[in-house]
Amino acid sequence: MTALPASANLGLVVRRLDPASESDRAHLVALTDAYARDPMGGGDGLSEHARAHLAEAFAAHPATFALLAERNGEPVGLALCVLGFSSFYAAPTVNLHDISVTPQARGTGVGRALLAAVEAEGSARGCAKVTLEVRPDNRVGRQLYESQGFELSALGGAAYLMMEKKLV
């Protein structure tokens, strides 16, 4: 799948990651680890366990898909997504769980191309909306998301807070 016409970003192609492909599996781990090493991804990188098992666990999970951005055949970005469901829309949703763009490709349209491809994939799957989480101090990410039409999630005028309870 090509997210943008070639004239919009020469050499950039966004396609579905193939979890059966060894090279795509390696790109999944490398790009996710690079994101996790970035301060906005926590700064520590993936754990040894996650690096060893991410590709296998991703391939086995029935509600995930990923989109790989390549420029001239080299991986420059990744969007890892998880399908969910909205009771209020009575329709599936797509959560952009992780988005990573290599440092050298930042500011070149890769993030916008990945977001457009996630929207297209979500629409093709009948999803009502795309959701994502972003750190309050991630100014660059927030500007990108807002420029592409993302808004704070709210119900009855009150913004949502992300909460978690670790099970492992």
Side-chain angles (χ1 to χ4, degrees):
M1 153 177 49
T2 301
L4 295 175
S7 61
N9 202 333
L10 290 177
L12 183 66
V13 172
V14 178
R15 63 174 176 83
R16 273 196 218 154
L17 181 129
D18 178 0
S21 160
E22 285 303 318
S23 63
D24 278 9
R25 291 165 71 101
H27 296 325
L28 171 70
V29 174
L31 288 164
T32 304
D33 185 57
Y35 164 61
R37 290 181 186 284
D38 187 270
M40 291 300 115
D44 294 327
L46 294 176
S47 69
E48 212 171 292
H49 174 82
R51 279 193 309 276
H53 298 284
L54 173 58
E56 177 185 332
F58 170 81
H61 196 290
T64 58
F65 68 90
L67 301 169
L68 181 65
E70 296 171 308
R71 178 168 282 130
N72 301 319
E74 294 298 316
V76 293
L78 177 80
L80 192 153
C81 301
V82 181
L83 296 171
F85 184 79
S86 170
S87 56
F88 285 21
Y89 287 95
T93 61
V94 59
N95 175 257
L96 175 54
H97 188 70
D98 294 320
I99 185 169
S100 53
V101 176
T102 60
Q104 65 273 22
R106 291 179 186 158
T108 67
V110 173
R112 285 187 299 281
L114 284 166
L115 290 174
V118 169
E119 286 183 43
E121 184 72 20
S123 290
R125 292 172 180 252
C127 294
K129 62 182 177 178
V130 176
T131 63
L132 57 82
E133 298 110 35
V134 61
R135 288 171 47 144
D137 62 341
N138 186 346
R139 183 184 53 78
V140 173
R142 290 181 67 176
Q143 285 176 342
L144 170 63
Y145 304 141
E146 289 168 4
S147 77
Q148 300 305 299
F150 285 83
E151 301 173 339
L152 287 178
S153 293
L155 185 60
Y160 296 159
L161 297 176
M162 182 180 169
M163 299 176 74
E164 71 179 11
K165 180 179 180 180
K166 293 184 180 180
L167 301 176
V168 293

